[in-house]
Protein backbone atom coordinates (compact mmCIF):
# COMPACT_ATOMS: atom_id res chain seq x y z
CA UNK A 1 0.00 0.00 0.00
CA UNK A 2 2.82 2.37 0.88
CA UNK A 3 4.61 1.47 -2.33
CA UNK A 4 1.51 2.41 -4.30
CA UNK A 5 1.31 5.74 -2.43
CA UNK A 6 4.94 6.53 -3.26
CA UNK A 7 4.34 5.81 -6.94
CA UNK A 8 1.31 8.12 -6.90
CA UNK A 9 3.40 10.85 -5.26
CA UNK A 10 6.17 10.47 -7.84
CA UNK A 11 3.56 10.89 -10.59
CA UNK A 12 2.18 13.98 -8.82
CA UNK A 13 5.70 15.45 -8.56
CA UNK A 14 6.22 14.94 -12.29
CA UNK A 15 2.88 16.65 -13.01
CA UNK A 16 3.71 19.67 -10.82
CA UNK A 17 7.13 20.09 -12.45
CA UNK A 18 5.62 19.84 -15.94
CA UNK A 19 2.88 22.32 -15.01
CA UNK A 20 5.45 24.84 -13.77
CA UNK A 21 7.50 24.54 -16.96
CA UNK A 22 4.37 24.81 -19.08
CA UNK A 23 3.28 27.96 -17.23
CA UNK A 24 6.66 29.67 -17.75
CA UNK A 25 7.50 28.61 -21.31
CA UNK A 26 4.06 28.30 -22.92
CA UNK A 27 1.32 30.12 -21.00
CA UNK A 28 3.27 33.23 -19.95
CA UNK A 29 4.54 34.20 -23.46
CA UNK A 30 0.99 33.93 -24.81
CA UNK A 31 -0.82 35.66 -21.94
CA UNK A 32 1.64 38.53 -21.32
CA UNK A 33 0.33 40.94 -23.93
CA UNK A 34 -1.00 44.49 -24.13
CA UNK A 35 -4.80 44.51 -24.54
CA UNK A 36 -5.97 45.95 -27.85
CA UNK A 37 -8.65 48.14 -26.21
CA UNK A 38 -6.55 49.89 -23.56
CA UNK A 39 -7.40 53.48 -22.66
CA UNK A 40 -5.07 55.66 -20.62
CA UNK A 41 -4.64 59.34 -19.81
CA UNK A 42 -1.33 60.74 -18.59
CA UNK A 43 -0.86 64.33 -17.45
CA UNK A 44 2.61 65.88 -17.31
CA UNK A 45 3.58 69.29 -16.05
CA UNK A 46 6.39 71.84 -16.15
CA UNK A 47 5.87 74.17 -13.21
CA UNK A 48 8.37 76.96 -13.91
CA UNK A 49 8.73 76.99 -17.66
CA UNK A 50 9.37 79.56 -20.35
CA UNK A 51 6.68 79.80 -23.00
CA UNK A 52 6.18 81.81 -26.18
CA UNK A 53 3.49 84.46 -26.48
CA UNK A 54 2.47 84.18 -30.12
CA UNK A 55 0.70 87.54 -30.06
CA UNK A 56 3.98 89.38 -29.41
CA UNK A 57 6.44 86.65 -30.50
CA UNK A 58 8.30 86.99 -27.19
CA UNK A 59 9.14 84.51 -24.46
CA UNK A 60 7.48 84.65 -21.07
CA UNK A 61 9.21 82.94 -18.12
CA UNK A 62 7.64 81.44 -14.97
CA UNK A 63 4.76 79.79 -16.78
CA UNK A 64 2.94 76.60 -15.83
CA UNK A 65 2.68 74.20 -18.75
CA UNK A 66 0.47 71.13 -18.80
CA UNK A 67 0.84 68.32 -21.32
CA UNK A 68 -2.07 65.90 -21.64
CA UNK A 69 -1.42 62.62 -23.39
CA UNK A 70 -4.21 60.17 -24.19
CA UNK A 71 -3.79 56.62 -25.49
CA UNK A 72 -6.81 54.80 -26.88
CA UNK A 73 -6.62 51.32 -28.34
CA UNK A 74 -8.35 50.84 -31.69
CA UNK A 75 -9.55 47.29 -31.10
CA UNK A 76 -11.41 47.06 -34.42
CA UNK A 77 -8.28 47.91 -36.44
CA UNK A 78 -6.19 45.45 -34.39
CA UNK A 79 -8.71 42.64 -34.93
CA UNK A 80 -8.88 43.29 -38.68
CA UNK A 81 -5.09 43.01 -38.91
CA UNK A 82 -5.15 39.83 -36.79
CA UNK A 83 -7.66 38.23 -39.16
CA UNK A 84 -5.46 39.09 -42.14
CA UNK A 85 -2.10 38.01 -40.71
CA UNK A 86 -2.73 36.00 -37.53
CA UNK A 87 -0.51 38.42 -35.62
CA UNK A 88 -1.63 40.14 -32.42
CA UNK A 89 -1.01 43.87 -32.62
CA UNK A 90 -2.04 46.95 -30.69
CA UNK A 91 -3.14 50.10 -32.50
CA UNK A 92 -2.84 53.11 -30.22
CA UNK A 93 -4.41 56.39 -31.26
CA UNK A 94 -2.57 59.00 -29.23
CA UNK A 95 -3.13 62.72 -28.80
CA UNK A 96 -0.65 65.00 -27.03
CA UNK A 97 -1.65 68.60 -26.46
CA UNK A 98 -0.01 71.44 -24.58
CA UNK A 99 -1.90 73.89 -22.35
CA UNK A 100 -0.52 77.18 -21.08
CA UNK A 101 -0.95 78.75 -17.64
CA UNK A 102 -4.53 79.74 -18.50
CA UNK A 103 -5.38 76.24 -19.85
CA UNK A 104 -5.37 77.52 -23.41
CA UNK A 105 -4.31 74.92 -25.94
CA UNK A 106 -1.08 75.89 -27.70
CA UNK A 107 -0.57 72.87 -29.94
CA UNK A 108 -1.80 69.31 -30.47
CA UNK A 109 -0.12 66.36 -32.16
CA UNK A 110 -2.07 63.16 -32.92
CA UNK A 111 -0.29 59.83 -33.48
CA UNK A 112 -1.17 56.33 -34.55
CA UNK A 113 1.32 53.90 -33.07
CA UNK A 114 1.14 50.21 -34.05
CA UNK A 115 3.20 47.51 -32.35
CA UNK A 116 3.31 43.80 -31.55
CA UNK A 117 1.18 43.09 -28.47
CA UNK A 118 3.83 40.87 -26.88
CA UNK A 119 7.23 42.21 -27.97
CA UNK A 120 6.38 45.92 -28.54
CA UNK A 121 8.24 45.74 -31.88
CA UNK A 122 6.73 48.35 -34.28
CA UNK A 123 4.35 47.02 -36.94
CA UNK A 124 3.83 49.02 -40.12
CA UNK A 125 0.11 49.01 -40.79
CA UNK A 126 -3.23 50.48 -39.82
CA UNK A 127 -2.45 54.12 -40.59
CA UNK A 128 0.83 54.43 -38.68
CA UNK A 129 1.43 58.19 -38.53
CA UNK A 130 2.51 61.29 -36.60
CA UNK A 131 0.49 64.49 -36.93
CA UNK A 132 -1.17 63.12 -40.06
CA UNK A 133 2.15 62.26 -41.76
CA UNK A 134 2.84 58.64 -42.64
CA UNK A 135 5.88 57.29 -40.80
CA UNK A 136 7.67 53.97 -40.43
CA UNK A 137 8.93 53.57 -36.88
CA UNK A 138 12.06 51.56 -36.17
CA UNK A 139 12.05 51.85 -32.39
CA UNK A 140 9.79 51.48 -29.37
CA UNK A 141 7.70 54.32 -27.98
CA UNK A 142 5.68 54.88 -24.80
CA UNK A 143 6.44 51.41 -23.38
CA UNK A 144 9.40 49.04 -23.14
CA UNK A 145 9.12 45.27 -23.72
CA UNK A 146 8.11 42.76 -21.05
CA UNK A 147 11.29 41.59 -19.32
CA UNK A 148 13.23 44.78 -20.12
CA UNK A 149 17.00 44.31 -20.01
CA UNK A 150 19.64 46.85 -18.99
CA UNK A 151 20.88 47.55 -22.51
CA UNK A 152 20.37 50.07 -25.28
CA UNK A 153 17.04 50.16 -27.12
CA UNK A 154 16.04 52.10 -30.20
CA UNK A 155 13.54 54.74 -29.07
CA UNK A 156 11.30 56.66 -31.46
CA UNK A 157 11.01 60.44 -31.16
CA UNK A 158 7.80 61.77 -32.76
CA UNK A 159 9.20 65.30 -33.00
CA UNK A 160 12.21 64.35 -35.14
CA UNK A 161 10.37 61.40 -36.79
CA UNK A 162 13.45 59.26 -36.16
CA UNK A 163 14.84 56.65 -33.76
CA UNK A 164 18.04 56.74 -31.72
CA UNK A 165 19.53 54.62 -28.93
CA UNK A 166 18.23 55.18 -25.43
CA UNK A 167 20.86 54.06 -22.95
CA UNK A 168 20.45 52.08 -19.74
CA UNK A 169 22.21 53.97 -16.94
CA UNK A 170 21.88 51.17 -14.39
CA UNK A 171 19.61 49.56 -11.83
CA UNK A 172 17.83 51.62 -9.21
CA UNK A 173 14.51 51.73 -7.37
CA UNK A 174 11.54 54.02 -7.74
CA UNK A 175 8.83 54.20 -5.08
CA UNK A 176 10.12 50.93 -3.66
CA UNK A 177 9.98 49.10 -7.00
CA UNK A 178 13.17 47.80 -8.67
CA UNK A 179 13.70 49.86 -11.81
CA UNK A 180 16.04 50.46 -14.72
CA UNK A 181 17.02 54.05 -15.51
CA UNK A 182 17.14 54.91 -19.23
CA UNK A 183 18.39 58.18 -20.70
CA UNK A 184 18.49 59.68 -24.17
CA UNK A 185 19.73 63.04 -25.42
CA UNK A 186 18.20 64.37 -28.62
CA UNK A 187 20.55 67.01 -30.05
CA UNK A 188 19.27 70.27 -31.54
CA UNK A 189 17.25 69.23 -34.57
CA UNK A 190 14.98 71.15 -36.90
CA UNK A 191 11.49 69.68 -36.59
CA UNK A 192 8.16 70.46 -38.29
CA UNK A 193 5.63 72.80 -36.75
CA UNK A 194 2.52 71.07 -35.40
CA UNK A 195 -0.37 71.34 -37.82
CA UNK A 196 -2.55 72.58 -35.00
CA UNK A 197 -0.94 75.62 -33.34
CA UNK A 198 -2.35 78.55 -31.41
CA UNK A 199 -1.85 81.05 -34.21
CA UNK A 200 -5.27 81.79 -35.64
CA UNK A 201 -5.47 81.55 -39.42
CA UNK A 202 -1.81 80.65 -39.90
CA UNK A 203 -0.71 77.28 -41.19
CA UNK A 204 2.71 75.62 -40.72
CA UNK A 205 3.37 76.18 -44.43
CA UNK A 206 2.83 79.93 -44.00
CA UNK A 207 5.09 79.94 -40.94
CA UNK A 208 7.83 78.23 -42.94
CA UNK A 209 7.32 80.70 -45.80
CA UNK A 210 7.98 83.56 -43.36
CA UNK A 211 11.40 82.08 -42.63
CA UNK A 212 10.50 80.73 -39.19
CA UNK A 213 11.99 77.42 -38.14
CA UNK A 214 11.23 75.19 -35.16
CA UNK A 215 14.23 73.60 -33.44
CA UNK A 216 14.13 71.18 -30.56
CA UNK A 217 16.37 69.31 -28.11
CA UNK A 218 15.59 67.25 -25.05
CA UNK A 219 17.10 64.98 -22.43
CA UNK A 220 14.56 62.29 -21.55
CA UNK A 221 14.73 59.83 -18.70
CA UNK A 222 12.55 56.86 -17.87
CA UNK A 223 12.42 54.76 -14.72
CA UNK A 224 11.22 51.44 -16.14
CA UNK A 225 9.79 48.47 -14.29
CA UNK A 226 11.80 45.65 -15.88
CA UNK A 227 9.04 43.07 -15.36
CA UNK A 228 6.27 44.85 -17.30
CA UNK A 229 8.33 47.37 -19.27
CA UNK A 230 6.03 50.16 -18.07
CA UNK A 231 7.39 53.56 -16.98
CA UNK A 232 7.18 54.37 -13.27
CA UNK A 233 8.26 57.95 -14.03
CA UNK A 234 9.25 59.86 -17.13
CA UNK A 235 10.94 63.27 -17.36
CA UNK A 236 12.22 65.56 -20.10
CA UNK A 237 14.47 68.60 -19.97
CA UNK A 238 12.73 70.12 -22.96
CA UNK A 239 14.03 73.05 -24.99
CA UNK A 240 12.31 74.36 -28.12
CA UNK A 241 13.11 77.50 -30.14
CA UNK A 242 11.74 79.60 -32.97
CA UNK A 243 14.61 80.47 -35.25
CA UNK A 244 14.56 82.89 -38.15
CA UNK A 245 16.27 82.46 -41.48
CA UNK A 246 18.58 85.37 -42.28
CA UNK A 247 17.24 87.74 -44.93
CA UNK A 248 19.51 88.90 -47.73
CA UNK A 249 21.89 91.58 -46.43
CA UNK A 250 20.42 91.46 -42.91
CA UNK A 251 21.58 89.61 -39.78
CA UNK A 252 19.42 86.81 -38.50
CA UNK A 253 17.07 87.61 -35.64
CA UNK A 254 17.90 86.02 -32.31
CA UNK A 255 15.87 82.87 -31.57
CA UNK A 256 12.75 82.98 -29.42
CA UNK A 257 12.06 80.26 -26.89
CA UNK A 258 8.86 78.41 -27.73
CA UNK A 259 8.92 76.15 -24.69
CA UNK A 260 11.63 75.42 -22.15
CA UNK A 261 11.09 73.50 -18.95
CA UNK A 262 11.48 70.37 -16.87
CA UNK A 263 8.59 68.08 -17.74
CA UNK A 264 7.50 65.27 -15.42
CA UNK A 265 4.37 63.24 -14.65
CA UNK A 266 2.03 65.19 -12.39
CA UNK A 267 2.07 63.74 -8.84
CA UNK A 268 -1.60 62.69 -8.75
CA UNK A 269 -1.28 60.82 -12.04
CA UNK A 270 2.07 59.42 -10.94
CA UNK A 271 0.40 57.78 -7.93
CA UNK A 272 -2.25 56.10 -10.08
CA UNK A 273 0.38 55.06 -12.64
CA UNK A 274 2.57 53.46 -9.98
CA UNK A 275 -0.41 51.62 -8.48
CA UNK A 276 -1.33 50.22 -11.91
CA UNK A 277 2.26 49.18 -12.64
CA UNK A 278 2.57 47.41 -9.29
CA UNK A 279 -0.68 45.51 -9.94
CA UNK A 280 0.41 44.45 -13.43
CA UNK A 281 3.87 43.58 -12.10
CA UNK A 282 2.35 41.15 -9.59
CA UNK A 283 0.26 39.45 -12.28
CA UNK A 284 3.21 39.09 -14.66
CA UNK A 285 5.47 37.77 -11.90
CA UNK A 286 2.79 35.27 -10.89
CA UNK A 287 2.77 33.83 -14.41
CA UNK A 288 6.48 34.04 -15.13
CA UNK A 289 8.02 33.26 -11.73
CA UNK A 290 5.81 32.72 -8.68
CA UNK A 291 3.67 29.88 -10.06
CA UNK A 292 6.48 28.11 -12.00
CA UNK A 293 8.91 28.29 -9.08
CA UNK A 294 6.15 27.37 -6.63
CA UNK A 295 5.24 24.33 -8.72
CA UNK A 296 8.91 23.35 -8.90
CA UNK A 297 9.32 23.62 -5.13
CA UNK A 298 6.11 21.65 -4.55
CA UNK A 299 7.33 18.97 -6.98
CA UNK A 300 10.59 18.60 -5.00
CA UNK A 301 8.71 18.33 -1.70
CA UNK A 302 6.32 15.71 -3.06
CA UNK A 303 9.21 13.79 -4.61
CA UNK A 304 11.08 13.90 -1.28
CA UNK A 305 7.97 12.58 0.50
CA UNK A 306 7.66 9.76 -2.04
CA UNK A 307 11.30 8.77 -1.58
CA UNK A 308 10.94 8.90 2.21
CA UNK A 309 7.89 6.62 2.12
CA UNK A 310 9.71 4.23 -0.21
CA UNK A 311 12.78 4.17 2.02
CA UNK A 312 10.70 3.64 5.17
CA UNK A 313 8.78 0.84 3.50
CA UNK A 314 12.03 -0.90 2.51
CA UNK A 315 13.41 -0.56 6.05
CA UNK A 316 10.25 -2.14 7.48
CA UNK A 317 10.35 -5.01 4.99
CA UNK A 318 14.03 -5.75 5.59
CA UNK A 319 13.65 -7.38 9.12
CA UNK A 320 10.73 -9.47 7.90
CA UNK A 321 12.77 -10.78 4.99
CA UNK A 322 15.70 -11.58 7.29
CA UNK A 323 13.39 -13.45 9.68
CA UNK A 324 11.93 -15.53 6.87
CA UNK A 325 15.38 -16.34 5.56
CA UNK A 326 16.47 -17.43 9.10
CA UNK A 327 13.54 -19.80 9.40
CA UNK A 328 14.35 -21.33 6.04
CA UNK A 329 17.98 -21.83 7.05
CA UNK A 330 16.98 -23.41 10.36
CA UNK A 331 14.51 -25.77 8.68
CA UNK A 332 17.20 -26.87 6.28
CA UNK A 333 19.43 -27.91 9.21
CA UNK A 334 16.80 -30.17 11.07
CA UNK A 335 17.29 -34.08 11.04
CA UNK A 336 19.73 -36.74 12.23
CA UNK A 337 23.34 -36.48 11.17
CA UNK A 338 24.67 -38.80 8.59
CA UNK A 339 23.07 -40.43 5.59
CA UNK A 340 20.04 -42.73 5.72
CA UNK A 341 20.87 -44.01 9.29
CA UNK A 342 21.57 -47.45 8.05
Amino acid sequence: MRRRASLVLIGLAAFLAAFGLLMHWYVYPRVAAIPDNQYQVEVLTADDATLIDYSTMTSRPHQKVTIVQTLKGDAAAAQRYRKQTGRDVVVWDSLSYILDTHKKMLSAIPETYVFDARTQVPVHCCGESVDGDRVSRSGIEFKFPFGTQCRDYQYYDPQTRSSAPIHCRGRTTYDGVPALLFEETVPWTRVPFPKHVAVAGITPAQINAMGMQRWYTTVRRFWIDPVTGAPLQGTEQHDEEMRFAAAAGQPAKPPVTIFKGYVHIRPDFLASTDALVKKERTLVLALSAYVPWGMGAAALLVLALALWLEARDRLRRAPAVEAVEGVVVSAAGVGPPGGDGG
Side-chain angles (χ1 to χ4, degrees), residues 127 139 206 228 314 330:
Q206 291 172 319
T228 63
R314 288 190 178 190
S330 298

Side-chain angles (χ1 to χ4, degrees), residues 45-51 60-66 101 237-238 259-264:
T45 185
D47 297 324
D48 190 15
T50 299
L51 203 61
R60 297 175 60 194
H62 311 302
Q63 301 293 301
K64 182 177 180 63
V65 177
T66 302
T101 302
Q237 187 61 55
H238 189 100
F259 170 37
K260 182 175 183 177
Y262 178 70
V263 180
H264 56 92

Side-chain angles (χ1 to χ4, degrees), residues 38-46 65-72 92-99 142-143 155 174 221-224 229-235 263-277:
Q38 184 172 348
Y39 179 76
Q40 183 177 342
V41 178
E42 198 85 276
V43 177
L44 302 95
T45 185
V65 177
T66 302
I67 302 172
V68 181
Q69 186 178 76
T70 62
L71 295 173
K72 182 178 180 181
W92 271 350
D93 289 328
S94 167
L95 178 64
S96 297
Y97 55 94
I98 298 177
L99 306 175
F142 298 114
K143 182 189 176 296
Y155 194 85
Y174 193 90
R221 294 183 179 91
F222 292 110
W223 285 258
I224 299 295
L232 295 160
Q233 171 64 288
T235 68
V263 180
H264 56 92
I265 301 176
R266 208 170 70 185
D268 53 339
F269 278 85
L270 183 62
S272 61
T273 297
D274 287 354
L276 178 62
V277 172

Side-chain angles (χ1 to χ4, degrees), residues 3-286:
R3 186 173 182 81
R4 183 180 299 174
S6 64
L7 290 175
V8 170
L9 289 174
I10 290 173
L12 177 59
F15 170 78
L16 292 172
F19 184 81
L21 291 172
L22 185 71
M23 181 66 69
H24 180 79
W25 295 108
Y26 184 82
V27 176
Y28 165 65
R30 286 160 177 78
V31 173
I34 304 298
D36 60 14
N37 61 347
Q38 184 172 348
Y39 179 76
Q40 183 177 342
V41 178
E42 198 85 276
V43 177
L44 302 95
T45 185
D47 297 324
D48 190 15
T50 299
L51 203 61
I52 192 170
D53 182 348
Y54 280 108
S55 63
T56 61
M57 291 299 290
T58 57
S59 300
R60 297 175 60 194
H62 311 302
Q63 301 293 301
K64 182 177 180 63
V65 177
T66 302
I67 302 172
V68 181
Q69 186 178 76
T70 62
L71 295 173
K72 182 178 180 181
D74 188 342
Q79 290 165 12
R80 283 195 301 269
Y81 186 79
R82 185 183 304 117
K83 288 179 180 179
Q84 295 171 3
T85 66
R87 184 177 184 181
D88 288 331
V89 301
V90 174
V91 182
W92 271 350
D93 289 328
S94 167
L95 178 64
S96 297
Y97 55 94
I98 298 177
L99 306 175
D100 66 10
T101 302
H102 307 291
K103 303 301 181 184
K104 178 183 177 183
M105 184 183 293
L106 297 180
S107 65
I109 299 179
E111 286 189 64
T112 298
Y113 175 40
V114 190
F115 58 93
D116 187 283
R118 293 178 177 82
T119 65
Q120 279 71 76
V121 172
V123 177
H124 310 304
C125 77
C126 315
E128 182 186 16
S129 62
V130 175
D131 205 13
D133 299 328
R134 290 296 182 94
V135 296
S136 182
R137 290 177 177 82
S138 59
I140 58 175
E141 189 182 358
F142 298 114
K143 182 189 176 296
F144 285 68
F146 291 101
T148 301
Q149 303 296 312
C150 189
R151 63 174 180 84
D152 291 356
Y153 287 87
Q154 288 293 114
Y155 194 85
Y156 186 79
D157 186 300
Q159 301 280 4
T160 63
R161 314 290 204 267
S162 64
S163 297
I166 187 167
H167 308 288
C168 180
R169 297 308 188 194
R171 300 181 182 276
T172 182
T173 58
Y174 193 90
D175 194 26
V177 177
L180 297 174
L181 175 60
F182 287 88
E183 181 179 281
E184 176 192 18
T185 299
V186 178
W188 280 107
T189 306
R190 184 179 177 181
V191 294
F193 284 94
K195 294 179 181 178
H196 180 86
V197 293
V199 184
I202 299 180
T203 66
Q206 291 172 319
I207 294 175
N208 289 324
M210 289 186 288
M212 299 178 183
Q213 301 173 356
R214 180 172 172 249
W215 287 74
Y216 147 90
T217 183
T218 193
V219 178
R220 60 169 54 96
R221 294 183 179 91
F222 292 110
W223 285 258
I224 299 295
D225 168 35
V227 175
T228 63
L232 295 160
Q233 171 64 288
T235 68
E236 284 197 24
Q237 187 61 55
H238 189 100
D239 202 345
E240 196 174 322
E241 290 182 350
M242 180 89 75
R243 298 183 182 179
F244 303 89
Q250 295 182 0
K253 297 179 182 178
V256 176
T257 298
I258 298 176
F259 170 37
K260 182 175 183 177
Y262 178 70
V263 180
H264 56 92
I265 301 176
R266 208 170 70 185
D268 53 339
F269 278 85
L270 183 62
S272 61
T273 297
D274 287 354
L276 178 62
V277 172
K278 289 177 181 178
K279 178 182 176 182
E280 296 298 325
R281 174 186 174 86
T282 301
L283 292 174
V284 172
L285 283 175

Side-chain angles (χ1 to χ4, degrees), residues 265-330:
I265 301 176
R266 208 170 70 185
D268 53 339
F269 278 85
L270 183 62
S272 61
T273 297
D274 287 354
L276 178 62
V277 172
K278 289 177 181 178
K279 178 182 176 182
E280 296 298 325
R281 174 186 174 86
T282 301
L283 292 174
V284 172
L285 283 175
L287 290 172
S288 64
Y290 297 158
V291 173
W293 282 105
M295 292 296 100
L300 289 175
L301 289 174
V302 172
L303 180 61
L305 178 60
L307 295 175
W308 178 76
L309 288 175
E310 181 68 17
R312 191 177 69 166
D313 186 52
R314 288 190 178 190
L315 289 173
R316 286 187 175 183
R317 283 190 287 124
V321 171
E322 290 177 359
V324 170
E325 289 176 348
V327 170
V328 171
V329 170
S330 298

